[in-house]
Amino acid sequence: MTPSWRKPAGALLIVGLILFWAVLVASFSGSIGQLHPLLQALVYVFTGIIWIAPLKPLLRWMETGRWRA
């Protein structure tokens, strides 16, 4: 079998997604920093988990070449 180009491309997309999300969340750090510390923790926990949502279709595409099941 020949290696698929989708896996390296998908890995780069994942790194790009992480970079984009980190910059986006960091751009709101001034506003988030003014919140109560417990609320800050909730915001950062939520934003730390939500970026995972687009990974399932991306990983499926990397394996099968399709975006949907």
Side-chain angles (χ1 to χ4, degrees), residues 33-58:
Q34 295 175 358
L35 299 173
H36 187 274
L38 289 176
L39 203 51
Q40 287 180 37
L42 285 174
V43 168
Y44 284 123
V45 166
F46 178 75
T47 58
I49 293 173
I50 197 70
W51 71 271
I52 298 171
L55 285 185
K56 187 173 182 178
L58 179 58

Side-chain angles (χ1 to χ4, degrees), residues 4-68:
S4 172
W5 62 272
R6 288 187 311 267
K7 289 189 180 185
L12 286 174
L13 283 171
I14 290 171
V15 171
L17 173 67
I18 292 169
L19 261 168
F20 170 75
W21 193 251
V23 169
L24 181 69
V25 172
S27 69
F28 289 104
S29 65
S31 301
I32 296 170
Q34 295 175 358
L35 299 173
H36 187 274
L38 289 176
L39 203 51
Q40 287 180 37
L42 285 174
V43 168
Y44 284 123
V45 166
F46 178 75
T47 58
I49 293 173
I50 197 70
W51 71 271
I52 298 171
L55 285 185
K56 187 173 182 178
L58 179 58
L59 291 171
R60 184 181 305 120
W61 173 78
M62 287 169 62
E63 288 294 322
T64 65
R66 296 186 206 181
W67 288 102
R68 297 176 194 216

